[in-house]
Amino acid sequence: MLALGIDPGTAICGYGFVEARGNRLIPHAYGSIFTTPEMRMEDRLMKIFDELDGLIKKYRPDVMGVEKLFFNRNVTTAIPVGQARGVVLLAAAKNGLRLVERTPMQIKLDVTGYGKATKQQVIYMVTKLLHLEKPPKPDDTADALAIAICTTYCMHNIAWRNQL
């Protein structure tokens, strides 16, 4: 089973493809889609959609995991991230992908065993679980891989899978 994890953002949209083969996790491809502030918002969103749609068509994941929006401090970033998230959901729907949504705390708990883990702890565990030579950069890519890992765990849970 191949899971695609997405960390949505308008400046940096992280993605990661992780295959669950038995109890092994195998990274297939990961990185980030970058846009610049000089681009019009509609062009930034179209770039994210087009690149993500191309990645989905190339790798053919079985499921997509996306972080649920959670803003408790910086509300000004909520709207652009929400717009990017909408484009990500559109790409999932257009390609017929099942969607798994998890909160940041659930993702941290699944990946590190502690729901309040630091970003560095998440990056460390992603690197170890996927047997990567070095930590993925930027942080958005590491977050996307964490989401993909969490998604594979959800899909292996029969009770959870029956909710879809």
Side-chain angles (χ1 to χ4, degrees):
M1 194 248 331
L2 184 63
L4 167 58
I6 300 290
D7 181 31
T10 51
I12 305 171
C13 181
Y15 66 87
F17 292 88
V18 174
E19 179 184 2
R21 194 179 302 158
N23 61 356
R24 289 190 58 220
L25 295 172
I26 303 159
H28 281 258
Y30 52 91
S32 291
I33 300 165
F34 296 93
T35 67
T36 63
E38 293 79 27
M39 297 171 71
R40 298 180 313 159
M41 182 54 77
E42 57 267 34
D43 294 332
R44 295 172 91 174
L45 296 173
M46 185 165 33
K47 180 179 182 187
I48 292 166
F49 176 82
D50 288 344
E51 289 191 30
L52 183 56
D53 188 55
L55 288 165
I56 292 169
K57 286 177 175 26
K58 179 178 180 179
Y59 291 99
R60 302 260 180 228
D62 301 299
V63 62
M64 178 190 286
V66 182
E67 185 175 89
K68 283 186 183 178
L69 285 181
F70 181 77
F71 291 95
N72 60 352
R73 284 188 219 124
N74 193 353
V75 178
T76 58
T77 61
I79 292 172
V81 171
Q83 290 173 322
R85 191 173 184 280
V87 166
V88 168
L89 299 180
L90 176 63
K94 182 180 177 211
N95 288 282
L97 289 176
R98 291 186 291 176
L99 196 64
V100 172
E101 297 179 87
R102 306 290 280 168
T103 66
M105 187 174 276
Q106 290 170 318
I107 294 164
K108 290 175 182 180
L109 181 64
D110 282 350
V111 174
T112 70
Y114 179 57
K116 294 182 180 181
T118 67
K119 185 163 289 290
Q120 288 307 318
Q121 289 169 319
V122 172
I123 292 169
Y124 174 81
M125 285 306 297
V126 164
T127 305
K128 293 301 177 192
L129 289 169
L130 297 177
H131 305 286
L132 302 175
E133 291 183 19
K134 57 185 179 180
K137 299 280 185 194
D139 291 351
D140 308 78
T141 300
D143 289 345
L145 286 168
I147 294 164
I149 291 167
C150 179
T151 301
T152 66
Y153 293 165
C154 289
M155 296 309 292
H156 277 102
N157 181 321
I158 293 170
W160 199 94
R161 203 170 51 232
N162 287 339
Q163 294 177 25
L164 294 178

